[in-house]
Amino acid sequence: MQYLGKVKDRSMRKNNADIRPYTRQFYKGNGWRIAIAAVQTVLNAAGNLMLAWLIQQTIDLMSGADTGFTLGQLAAASAFTMAVITVAYGCDYWSKPRFISRAIAQYKSFVFERLTQKGIAAFSGESTGLYISALSNDASTIETDYLNNLFGIINSGFLFVTALAMMFWYSPVLTLVSIGISFLPIFVSLLTGGKAVKAEKRISDVNSQYMSSLQDSLMGFSVIKSFRAEKQMLRIFREKVQEVSDAKEQRRKIGILIELLSALSGILVQLGVFLVGAYLAISGKGVTAGTVLVFVQLLNYILQPIATIPGYLAGCRSARSLIQKLANALNENVQDTGKKEKSKLLNSITVRNLSFGYESEKPILKNISCNFDAGKSYAVVGASGSGKSTLLHMLTSSYHGYSGTINYDDVELKDIRSDALYDMLSVIQQNVFIFNASIRDNITMFSEFSDEEVGRAIRLSGLSKLIDEKGESYLCGENGVNLSGGEKQRISIARSLLRKSQILLADEATAALDAETSFQVNDAILNLRDMTRIVVTHALDAAVLSRYDCIIAMKSGEIVESGTFEELMNRKGYFYSLYTVTQ
């Protein structure tokens, strides 16, 4: 499948996009929560170190050593320590969950906003599975392995430093021994961290491929059934599922390996320090039994970061690689080359010497020239493959790699900002997308309009009967499953009317409709006033075509004739032949 190569190629790019705008979303508006997390870190470290000190003082007091503290004083200190630890967990309760929740919500919103900046043609040529995976599975990984790990790194790192300082205060010799032995687990973790990053990246890649395959299977369900391709698609689906399972299995194995090496290294450090401490205590080197025991306690605060921080860092690196992958994909084809604002079509759309091909050696449009006067209606007809739809795509700025000019009044299409262009025009496709929402929401596209404005759009688009029967709040179902093809098309017309678009482009809007419904939709389009209408149609109905101001007949990427229905029929040229063949 073609999209599999696209995902792989994208992951191999060397010119990586800047991910700082993405990671900034984690901290925007989250400053006070980070401050509370910092307080929690300090209190947590203080509480744990005080606990270690209390253990040392209690053991030495029990062994008869003069500690300078009474048992009652140590009991009071214990109560204070518990209060400090309770406050630390309270800070964690109020800061961490909200920080992560806000951070991931802002990240997803920023990603979706960047996604909406892509051009229509650019997005249609990409794998939607990549973005679905990025905003679902990858986002969950980022939440767990990046945001959650940030707190772990800060807490463990601060506790490591403070515990190490306290160990130096107790015994520099024993501390140096601990540091020397601790280099082994650090070295082992650094070696295995890179494998974890590659494994996480592999999961993301195969998961996006799985999502694309699943989406194809569901959207193409009717095709699969009608061609009896269930077994073939099941085989492909199982292959994708197995690839995801294998990638996750490999990641789990690497995780277990990292845990094993960290655990073995931790045991080695703990036993080594305990034995050296025992030797120093027995030899009378100024180390008491309480000191040895507190060292074992403090050693946990050293070993725990050594065991976990490399894993945290590996998780963060893996998550950053997912952010990088998404940033690279979103960084493609989002540039808007247009600089000029164009708010209204005053005179005409003028096409001069337009040539275009999706592949340079295979031109689709060949030296086309035509005018579309403002406020008039045009039908573009021709055999399949004649370039009708491509011409319509060129007018919407879907592709810029053309020669010749397309002028909206006196402004070249390439110079018009895309948002200004889409303010002027609306497009009705053959397959209208309907959201799983109410009829009114599908008409308004979730924006606020007055009842009077919505009512006018409903009336002029021919939706009044549907609204009378089912009401504006009727749920359309997934992709409009509860509506007929004609009702969907009328909703798309109503959308254009509500936006008060000056230009309406319809691409084979009635191709999938029966003759009666097709006539009704065309009638609704032709009844619109103060709107330039350019309609690509395969239906050559004299009653409909005779109402257009101009018919443009295309053949093999060229305009061979243009004029009114009566004029073209009287010429008995290409259009006449095309019309008579279809009757």
Side-chain angles (χ1 to χ4, degrees):
M1 296 184 181
Q2 190 175 6
Y3 55 80
L4 301 184
K6 292 180 181 177
V7 174
K8 184 176 180 181
D9 290 343
R10 185 173 290 110
S11 68
M12 297 298 288
R13 277 192 302 270
K14 295 182 179 179
N15 297 324
N16 287 329
D18 185 5
I19 67 169
R20 286 176 297 180
Y22 297 84
T23 54
R24 285 194 198 106
Q25 305 306 312
F26 301 144
Y27 310 105
K28 187 169 65 175
N30 256 342
W32 70 270
R33 297 180 183 89
I34 297 173
I36 293 178
V39 172
Q40 182 270 336
T41 298
V42 173
L43 291 176
N44 184 61
N48 282 285
L49 294 180
M50 289 169 64
L51 182 62
W53 177 81
L54 283 168
I55 291 173
Q56 180 260 324
Q57 292 291 321
T58 303
I59 295 296
D60 284 347
L61 185 64
M62 290 170 59
S63 63
D66 183 12
T67 63
F69 295 96
T70 65
L71 188 60
Q73 290 173 326
L74 292 179
S78 298
F80 179 74
T81 301
M82 292 178 64
V84 170
I85 293 175
T86 301
V87 172
Y89 273 94
C91 291
D92 196 41
Y93 175 84
W94 286 107
S95 62
K96 182 178 175 181
R98 185 55 184 163
F99 171 86
I100 293 176
S101 175
R102 182 184 178 96
I104 201 67
Q106 291 180 164
Y107 170 76
K108 288 181 177 179
S109 296
F110 179 77
V111 167
F112 191 80
E113 182 181 4
R114 288 295 306 272
L115 182 59
T116 60
Q117 294 171 7
K118 278 185 171 288
I120 294 174
F123 181 76
S124 62
E126 294 182 325
S127 168
T128 55
L130 185 150
Y131 297 112
I132 294 173
S133 176
L135 287 168
S136 54
N137 296 296
D138 290 0
S140 297
T141 299
I142 292 168
E143 183 176 342
T144 302
D145 291 350
Y146 188 90
L147 297 175
N148 194 62
N149 284 357
L150 283 178
F151 290 90
I153 292 171
I154 294 171
N155 279 318
S156 298
F158 189 78
L159 189 59
F160 177 90
V161 172
T162 52
L164 192 62
M166 192 170 182
M167 289 171 68
F168 263 109
W169 179 68
Y170 273 115
S171 174
V173 175
L174 200 52
T175 303
L176 291 174
V177 171
S178 302
I179 294 174
I181 301 175
S182 298
F183 274 113
L184 177 61
I186 293 173
F187 178 71
V188 169
S189 296
L190 290 175
L191 285 180
T192 55
K195 295 181 181 293
V197 172
K198 292 180 180 178
E200 199 64 60
K201 179 67 164 52
R202 173 64 179 161
I203 290 175
S204 176
D205 287 343
V206 299
N207 195 70
S208 63
Q209 296 168 14
Y210 162 74
M211 288 291 189
S212 293
S213 178
L214 177 61
Q215 189 174 24
D216 277 356
S217 299
L218 296 178
M219 295 185 70
F221 186 81
S222 60
V223 177
I224 293 171
K225 294 297 292 185
S226 61
F227 283 88
R228 301 300 304 276
E230 295 96 330
K231 292 183 179 179
Q232 292 84 344
M233 293 307 297
L234 178 60
R235 173 179 55 79
I236 294 173
F237 180 78
R238 283 174 174 169
E239 289 173 356
K240 299 306 168 193
V241 170
Q242 190 62 48
E243 286 179 3
V244 174
S245 299
D246 291 345
K248 289 185 176 180
E249 179 183 343
Q250 185 63 24
R251 177 64 179 91
R252 293 188 188 101
K253 287 181 178 179
I254 292 174
I256 292 172
L257 178 62
I258 293 175
E259 290 178 8
L260 171 63
L261 294 175
S262 297
L264 290 176
S265 301
I267 293 171
L268 176 63
V269 174
Q270 192 170 22
L271 288 176
V273 172
F274 192 81
L275 292 174
V276 172
Y279 168 76
L280 293 175
I282 295 171
S283 303
K285 302 295 183 180
V287 176
T288 65
T291 302
V292 174
L293 288 175
V294 80
F295 243 87
V296 173
Q297 178 70 20
L298 291 172
L299 196 59
N300 290 327
Y301 304 144
I302 299 296
L303 294 176
Q304 188 263 343
I306 290 175
T308 59
I309 285 181
Y312 288 156
L313 293 174
C316 286
R317 289 170 60 194
S318 299
R320 285 179 68 88
S321 72
L322 300 180
I323 298 173
Q324 184 69 72
K325 172 186 171 185
L326 177 61
N328 289 343
L330 289 172
N331 201 45
E332 290 185 339
N333 306 313
V334 296
Q335 295 80 9
D336 189 350
T337 58
K339 301 297 181 184
K340 296 182 180 181
E341 296 287 344
K342 178 66 177 169
S343 59
K344 189 174 183 180
L345 182 68
L346 299 175
N347 299 311
S348 65
I349 303 172
T350 306
V351 179
R352 288 289 176 266
N353 304 317
L354 175 65
S355 295
F356 172 78
Y358 300 103
E359 299 175 25
S360 56
E361 66 277 7
K362 297 179 180 179
I364 304 297
L365 302 179
K366 305 168 187 175
N367 202 36
I368 284 179
S369 294
C370 58
N371 277 9
F372 300 100
D373 293 333
K376 292 188 176 182
S377 58
Y378 295 84
V380 183
V381 302
S384 178
S386 60
K388 307 184 300 296
S389 295
T390 301
L391 174 59
L392 215 62
H393 291 158
M394 304 309 295
L395 298 179
T396 63
S397 193
S398 294
Y399 305 98
H400 281 177
Y402 59 83
S403 62
T405 60
I406 304 173
N407 283 354
Y408 279 66
D409 292 331
D410 57 348
V411 183
E412 220 292 326
L413 179 59
K414 294 177 183 177
D415 296 330
I416 303 175
R417 288 179 54 85
S418 60
D419 53 353
L421 177 67
Y422 288 120
D423 279 341
M424 284 194 298
L425 61 82
S426 294
V427 181
I428 301 176
Q429 304 287 353
Q430 178 178 340
N431 297 313
V432 178
F433 188 83
I434 300 295
F435 294 90
N436 187 17
S438 68
I439 295 176
R440 185 185 179 97
D441 283 340
N442 271 284
I443 293 173
T444 64
M445 290 299 294
F446 309 98
S447 297
E448 291 295 328
F449 291 93
S450 68
D451 291 341
E452 183 180 351
E453 290 176 303
V454 175
R456 175 181 176 276
I458 289 173
R459 185 176 66 258
L460 293 177
S461 61
L463 279 172
S464 298
K465 182 180 179 182
L466 174 65
I467 298 300
D468 290 341
E469 292 177 355
K470 299 181 178 180
E472 292 183 5
S473 60
Y474 179 75
L475 291 179
C476 301
E478 185 176 350
N479 198 16
V481 67
N482 297 332
L483 302 176
S484 69
E487 290 167 344
K488 293 180 185 180
Q489 293 292 8
R490 290 189 183 94
I491 286 177
S492 67
I493 295 171
R495 288 172 180 171
S496 303
L497 290 168
L498 200 56
R499 289 185 62 230
K500 299 179 181 177
S501 304
Q502 301 170 51
I503 305 164
L504 178 65
L505 307 179
D507 187 9
E508 298 283 10
T510 61
L513 306 179
D514 59 74
E516 182 180 355
T517 306
S518 175
F519 179 85
Q520 292 172 355
V521 171
N522 275 304
D523 182 65
I525 292 174
L526 286 165
N527 283 335
L528 302 177
R529 293 292 177 259
D530 302 321
M531 180 182 287
T532 306
R533 291 141 292 164
I534 306 173
V535 179
V536 169
T537 180
H538 70 289
L540 302 184
D541 186 330
V544 173
L545 292 177
S546 60
R547 296 175 59 189
Y548 280 95
D549 294 308
C550 182
I551 299 171
I552 296 174
M554 296 186 65
K555 179 182 179 182
S556 301
E558 299 178 323
I559 295 177
V560 293
E561 280 185 311
S562 64
T564 65
F565 178 77
E566 185 178 355
E567 289 171 347
L568 294 181
M569 291 298 289
N570 290 335
R571 289 180 197 168
K572 299 189 182 299
Y574 174 72
F575 175 79
Y576 177 84
S577 301
L578 189 67
Y579 175 80
T580 53
V581 166
T582 59
Q583 301 309 303

